[in-house]
């Protein structure tokens, strides 16, 4: 792992995420501000969004705040695509080449790699961060660690 990248990304961005989380605004406003921060500051984060466990339809994800091109996938059943798989596995999924995936939902032909990180509250799945990149093999360990720490911070927001 590249420790320098890891320390720099976390040192720079985690305090800014904490500041967003502590704002006196709605959950959606906080999540959108985090999308903007990540899309602006992290290289090759070309689509950044949240999918949230649907409160009305069981075993379904619903699209939350996002930054990037619009997607047709505004709801996703658990199990379908990378997002749906993470809703069941509760584990981070990294695809360095989405064209090699068997269970994948395409948002845009330009997407090449993707990471999905679950947000758990008291061991239950509540939401996830989904990041698309237009470059293959662009999801470094440092980026994965940053996102996992952000998801831990966000657990209290659900
Ligand atoms: N690619 C995802 C679908 C969501 S879009 O990338 C925004 C998947 O396979 O679940």
């Amino acid at each position: 792992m590249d420790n320098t990248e890891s320390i720099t990304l976390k040192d720079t961005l985690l305090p800014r995420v904490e500041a967003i989380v502590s704002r006196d605004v709605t959950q959606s406003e906080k999540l959108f501000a985090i999308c903007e921060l990540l899309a602006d500051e992290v290289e090759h984060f070309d689509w950044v969004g949240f999918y949230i466990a649907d409160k009305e339809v069981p075993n379904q994800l619903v699209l939350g705040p996002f930054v990037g091109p619009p997607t047709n996938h505004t709801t996703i059943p658990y199990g379908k695509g990378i997002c749906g798989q993470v809703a069941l596995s509760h584990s981070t999924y990294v695809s360095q080449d989405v064209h090699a995936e068997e269970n994948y939902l395409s948002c845009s032909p330009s997407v090449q790699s993707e990471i999905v990180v679950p947000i758990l509250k008291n061991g239950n799945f509540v939401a996830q961060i989904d990041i698309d990149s237009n470059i293959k093999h662009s999801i470094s360990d440092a980026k994965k660690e940053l996102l996992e720490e952000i998801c831990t911070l966000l657990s209290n927001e659900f």
Side-chain angles (χ1 to χ4, degrees):
M1 183 180 68
D2 182 342
N3 277 325
T4 313
E5 185 194 4
S6 178
I7 291 163
T8 308
L9 268 180
K10 282 199 222 170
D11 280 0
T12 315
L13 296 182
L14 280 180
R16 294 178 67 182
V17 171
E18 281 167 344
I20 290 169
V21 169
S22 67
R23 286 180 194 163
D24 188 16
V25 297
T26 65
Q27 181 203 60
S28 286
E29 288 170 308
K30 292 180 191 185
L31 297 183
F32 183 70
I34 291 168
C35 292
E36 287 186 309
L37 177 71
L38 293 174
D40 286 350
E41 300 294 335
V42 184
E43 201 177 23
H44 306 312
F45 276 12
D46 297 304
W47 190 96
V48 178
F50 288 87
Y51 281 95
I52 298 171
D54 198 329
K55 291 183 180 63
E56 276 144 36
V57 181
N59 301 317
Q60 177 170 281
L61 295 164
V62 63
L63 181 62
F66 69 95
V67 167
T71 172
N72 288 332
H73 303 298
T74 53
T75 61
I76 299 176
Y78 285 14
K80 279 210 79 178
I82 293 176
C83 294
Q85 291 178 70
V86 168
L88 293 178
S89 71
H90 300 185
S91 298
T92 299
Y93 193 110
V94 175
S95 176
Q96 301 289 11
D97 177 4
V98 295
H99 304 292
E101 298 295 331
E102 285 178 7
N103 187 1
Y104 174 68
L105 299 170
S106 175
C107 273
S108 142
S110 55
V111 175
Q112 303 296 325
S113 56
E114 177 161 2
I115 178 169
V116 179
V117 182
I119 302 172
L120 304 179
K121 187 182 179 76
N122 302 324
N124 296 314
F125 172 81
V126 289
Q128 60 189 199
I129 292 184
D130 178 19
I131 311 268
D132 288 340
S133 168
N134 295 339
I135 305 287
K136 272 185 196 163
H137 299 281
S138 66
I139 314 293
S140 62
D141 285 346
K143 289 173 181 171
K144 175 172 179 272
E145 280 185 20
L146 169 74
L147 293 170
E148 288 180 338
E149 294 215 20
I150 292 173
C151 286
T152 302
L153 282 174
L154 285 175
S155 174
N156 291 331
E157 300 302 311
F158 288 86

